[in-house]
Amino acid sequence: MILYYRGLGIVVVVGLCVSGALLYSILTWLGQHNGLALSLSGITGIIVSVGVTVDSYIVYFERLKDEIRSGRTVRSSTDRSFARAWRTIVSADAVSFIAAALLYWLTVDQVRGFAFTLGLSTLLDLLVAYTFTRPMVIALGRSRTFTQARILGVARGLAAEPVGTLS
């Protein structure tokens, strides 16, 4: 992600850490107060949820690329692209959450651990996308130093040839 999106890849790494810390905190609290024990299937649910979370970043960053390709600046593209990507993120997370809820309801024992952690992680993805990723990208988009930096510059990481052109 860092090689492809440059500075925005750092946002992904930090966002995954925030999401992981929240998930760990909730699971630890549930373990102490409700006797939740994390099993191998629960860990598998967490691993799958990393893919769900990264998918949210990719949707947002690709929308951001589309806005920049259409001639807008990084600064003006951040809010507009998030608004357009948010619907897709919510739709994808809703499907994951419904699947997790159905798995939890229809199965027993180990599969329930998978479904629980996947559902919880999916809800956290929505929270982190809206309260962390969006403000972070907006703040970075307003920083001229960060957008124009030689190696990790956001504008350089998002600059791609318009759709339909051959290199």
Side-chain angles (χ1 to χ4, degrees), residues 78-145:
T78 54
D79 278 328
R80 183 180 173 108
S81 59
F82 186 81
R84 296 178 79 192
W86 181 245
R87 290 183 294 241
T88 307
I89 292 168
V90 169
S91 297
D93 283 353
V95 169
S96 292
F97 185 77
I98 290 168
L102 284 173
L103 274 175
Y104 189 85
W105 182 55
L106 295 173
T107 60
V108 294
D109 202 25
Q110 295 296 319
V111 178
R112 276 192 165 182
F114 171 80
F116 179 77
T117 56
L118 180 61
L120 180 62
S121 304
T122 301
L123 291 176
L124 286 176
D125 177 44
L126 289 171
L127 178 72
V128 170
Y130 196 81
T131 61
F132 174 78
T133 305
R134 179 179 164 265
M136 182 64 80
V137 173
I138 289 171
L140 293 177
R142 292 183 178 159
S143 167
R144 179 172 284 246
T145 303

Side-chain angles (χ1 to χ4, degrees), residues 44-104:
T44 305
I46 293 170
I47 292 169
V48 170
S49 72
V50 170
V52 171
T53 303
V54 170
D55 182 53
S56 297
Y57 286 105
I58 291 171
V59 167
Y60 182 27
F61 296 162
E62 289 302 315
R63 290 282 188 179
L64 191 55
K65 267 186 171 181
D66 290 343
E67 292 292 322
I68 291 171
R69 283 184 194 144
S70 68
R72 290 182 174 76
T73 64
V74 173
R75 184 178 186 156
S76 67
S77 298
T78 54
D79 278 328
R80 183 180 173 108
S81 59
F82 186 81
R84 296 178 79 192
W86 181 245
R87 290 183 294 241
T88 307
I89 292 168
V90 169
S91 297
D93 283 353
V95 169
S96 292
F97 185 77
I98 290 168
L102 284 173
L103 274 175
Y104 189 85

